[in-house]
């Protein structure tokens, strides 16, 4: 089991290896704290959204965020999968854009 804590935006997320997807529905994962999130790329963990005009992940100003080993999928987001206003490092990340 993998745990990601992004408080106060999302107090607790649990991703089980048997279901390694975090479907945000029409929401955006807003990261407003400096974090390092490391996943094993072999676990194929996907964060996705169906938002039509928002990205899947947004990093707020002044934050340093490192994402490692994730799939980030955007479905219809006008400005792509990630909106970054901070300092963002991506390692072993697959960005997936689904056009409708």
């Amino acid at each position: 089991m993998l745990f990601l804590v992004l408080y106060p935006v999302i107090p607790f997320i649990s991703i089980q290896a048997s279901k390694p997807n975090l479907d945000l529905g029409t929401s955006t994962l807003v990261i407003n704290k400096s974090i390092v999130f490391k996943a094993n790329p072999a676990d194929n963990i996907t964060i996705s959204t169906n938002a039509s005009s928002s990205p899947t992940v947004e990093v707020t100003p002044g934050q340093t965020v490192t994402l490692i080993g994730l799939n980030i999928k955007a479905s219809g987001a006008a400005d792509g999968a990630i909106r970054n206003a901070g300092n963002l490092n991506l390692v072993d990340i697959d960005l997936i854009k689904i056009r409708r």
Side-chain angles (χ1 to χ4, degrees):
M1 190 173 292
L2 174 70
F3 299 100
L4 169 61
V5 178
L6 298 175
Y7 186 80
V9 176
I10 298 178
F12 181 79
I13 298 172
S14 171
I15 303 173
Q16 298 180 8
S18 62
K19 297 181 181 179
N21 296 318
L22 175 59
D23 184 354
L24 301 171
T26 58
S27 298
T28 295
L29 177 62
V30 177
I31 303 175
N32 66 354
K33 302 285 182 190
S34 293
I35 64 164
V36 173
F37 177 65
K38 183 176 182 182
N40 183 345
D43 289 338
N44 202 29
I45 295 171
T46 300
I47 299 173
S48 63
T49 185
N50 290 320
S52 60
S53 61
S54 299
T56 305
V57 175
E58 179 175 350
V59 178
T60 61
Q63 307 311 316
T64 298
V65 174
T66 300
L67 302 176
I68 304 168
L70 295 170
N71 302 315
I72 300 175
K73 181 167 58 171
S75 180
D79 33 348
I82 298 174
R83 180 181 300 143
N84 178 37
N87 186 11
L88 178 62
N89 302 296
L90 301 175
V91 180
D92 288 330
I93 298 292
D94 286 331
L95 299 174
I96 304 160
K97 172 76 170 160
I98 307 297
R99 299 205 184 268
R100 292 183 180 194

